[in-house]
Amino acid sequence: MSAPSPMFALPARVLHWLMAILIVSMLFIGVGMVASVSETHDLLIRIHKPLGIAILVLAVIRIAVRLRYPPPPLPADLPALQKLAALASHWLLYILMLLMPLIGWAMLSAGGYPVMLSESLRLPPIFPVSPVAFAVLRHAHGFFALLLFLTFLAHMGAALYHGLIRRDGVLSSMAGRRLP
Amino acid sequence: MHEPSSPPTGIAWRWALIGIVVVGTAAAFGYVGGWLAPHRLTPKRIVDQLQQNGGMHPGYRRNHAKGICVAGYFDSNGGAQAYSRAQVFAAGRTPVVGRLAIPGGNPYAPDSSAPIRSMGLRFTQPNGQQWRTGMNSMPVFLVSTPQAFYEQAQSSAPDPATGKPDPAKIKAFFAAHPESAPFLAWVKTAKPSASFATESYWSLDAFVFVDASGTRHAVRWRMVPVDAGAPVDGSKSDADYLSADLTQRLAKGPQRWKLMVTLANPGDPTNDATKAWPSDRKEIDAGTLVLDQATAQDSGPCRDINYDPLVLPDGIEASDDPLLPARSAAYADSYLRRTSEEAHLPGTTAAHPKPETKS
Ligand code: HEM
Ligand code: HEM
């Protein structure tokens, strides 16, 4: 066995797994609620909005942590194309986790809806009321959600590839322990 | 070579595991999102059916397509304050943007095509919260579940051969839906009225008022006209008399309605809009709705409002009525279609409203 590979900093690991659960849940909640007419629709939408804003707050913290604690380097022998793909997909994930909640908030503002996070907590609008902007932002919310889901699938596939096939310590640097 | 000292064992199984996890996650997503569950009743299917029945009219609502924007205010007398802590019920004035309409997806339908009129209202509270409500001029709804609403819409789709609904299908629907009996009894006596102003508008769905101490009260509400005179039957020769009548009345003065809130007794059904509550239930006069302006809907302030019945302020909540989440979901879908058409987004038919024949 070689020396244990350097790990992501603890705050980075905690944020990563917490947000992974929240964001993947949000994607399922989002597509589930717009495809439902039952009580679940209302319940999911009540979870969707505050959880989305929580993700926005966590994403800001997470980017600060990312800048403060640089991640461990990728294995030196990783092909350049895979390195590029890793780098690009990571930044795409950061951009989308910021963008998705901002679009959600902006689209409700543009639609003239009060942005209610609970029965009584209302966020101020961040976009002027405009039906055209609403339509564009609402479609963007769906489009970027799909892009986020596909990026997540590739990310998860790549992590498993590192952990199960290459077994190069990349997965354990985030998981905190080694897979068999 | 990278880290492992020996090549991983069972390499094929490892690849298979990765494949199963990735494909399984994608499949779960597809199922939850409805793409892999084609039989689920979705907002899209409901609105597709409404669109098929009413015809494709870009930019217009997929139901209650023909209407007119109105504006004014609500003067609360404080009467409902003991039951709901919503700001709108504290004594004082709240601005209102509303819409009066007739049901159906065709914005050019004659006003006499249905004996029902509707009123959508958006109250904007000083604290920025809103109360939106859509009410119909009938005391009971025709179905109690979204599934039955969808089947009813299917049964009244125009027959491709005649261009008209097939009476046999409508009959078959109602035969299978005894819960529609109170509505059918009402509709027998109902006539298309000559005016929006003479009608009462019912919430039909039940809601929950929450008072300052957090106690919950099941309610329904209705708008009852004040001094509008008795309803008169509408003309059969003129297709657009409702907006003309409203404009004439407003030229003489504002139109008023009392907001009457009915409190349920324990055990009254809150999840069934086909059942009226007994007439002896406690009623509160909550104040007066005053409408003093009307504008054509193509350019008026109501055009881009979605009168989603689940946009509610603190102090009003949804009941367990299954129609409510279905309405919220379907109105959002209809709203996205019509705003996309207004925005001329690719894949939509551009909104090009015909000039109104009369306003
Ligand atoms: C990480 C954050 C978020 C993710 C991943 C996410 C994901 C999604 C997804 C997948 C959909 C379904 C899209 C479709 O199928 O068209 C959706 C819809 C929606 N989202 Fe989000 N969302 C996020 C944040 C937000 C926020 C912060 C808000 C509002 C404050 C919001 C409000 C909505 C609304 C109102 C809908 C559509 C409901 C409807 O049309 O009936 N989202 N979201
Ligand atoms: C599951 C049952 C129902 C479905 C699927 C449904 C569907 C719709 C749709 C798609 C619209 C167009 C929304 C828009 O584009 O803004 C609409 C409008 C409307 N609906 Fe319903 N509806 C249902 C039940 C009801 C009930 C029970 C009431 C009455 C209490 C009602 C009253 C109205 C009114 C007043 C409007 C017009 C709002 C406006 O003027 O903008 N609907 N409905």
Side-chain angles (χ1 to χ4, degrees), chain B residues 46-47 50 60-64 99-101 118-120 133-136 138 141 143 145-146 149 202-205 273 302 305-308 322-324 326-327 330-335 338:
Chain B
I46 294 182
V47 177
L50 291 171
Y60 287 98
R61 286 164 168 83
R62 270 24 178 196
N63 197 3
H64 297 249
R99 183 169 178 273
L100 297 165
S118 72
M119 175 188 268
T133 173
M135 299 166 284
N136 280 346
M138 60 210 199
F141 201 57
V143 290
T145 64
F149 182 91
W202 277 261
S203 75
L204 300 175
D205 298 311
C302 72
I305 297 177
N306 165 3
Y307 290 96
D308 174 347
L323 293 180
L324 284 172
R327 292 178 66 189
Y331 293 22
D333 188 286
S334 168
Y335 185 66
R338 55 194 178 90

Side-chain angles (χ1 to χ4, degrees), chain A residues 7-110:
Chain A
M7 294 267 182
F8 276 86
L10 183 64
R13 292 201 323 260
V14 170
L15 278 166
H16 174 270
W17 291 112
L18 174 66
M19 292 189 71
I21 295 168
L22 296 185
I23 291 173
V24 174
S25 308
M26 274 300 274
L27 288 166
F28 277 85
I29 290 172
V31 294
M33 74 192 185
V34 300
S36 157
V37 296
S38 69
E39 295 74 15
T40 350
H41 172 84
D42 191 36
L43 173 74
L44 292 180
I45 228 163
R46 282 157 188 280
I47 300 173
H48 191 85
K49 290 185 276 179
L51 191 56
I53 297 297
I55 289 173
L56 177 62
V57 173
L58 288 171
V60 171
I61 299 173
R62 177 151 177 204
I63 287 171
V65 166
R66 171 69 174 65
L67 298 174
R68 166 75 184 72
Y69 304 99
L74 286 167
D77 65 342
L78 196 68
L81 201 62
Q82 289 188 29
K83 271 193 184 146
L84 185 70
L87 202 71
S89 63
H90 293 165
W91 282 109
L92 186 59
L93 286 167
Y94 284 122
I95 291 168
L96 290 174
M97 72 180 78
L98 278 176
L99 208 56
M100 279 302 296
L102 286 173
I103 294 175
W105 186 354
M107 89 195 179
L108 288 179
S109 310

Side-chain angles (χ1 to χ4, degrees), chain B residues 267-282:
Chain B
D268 287 345
T270 53
N271 62 355
D272 190 344
T274 63
K275 292 197 174 76
W277 291 342
S279 56
D280 64 350
R281 295 298 181 256
K282 183 174 169 137

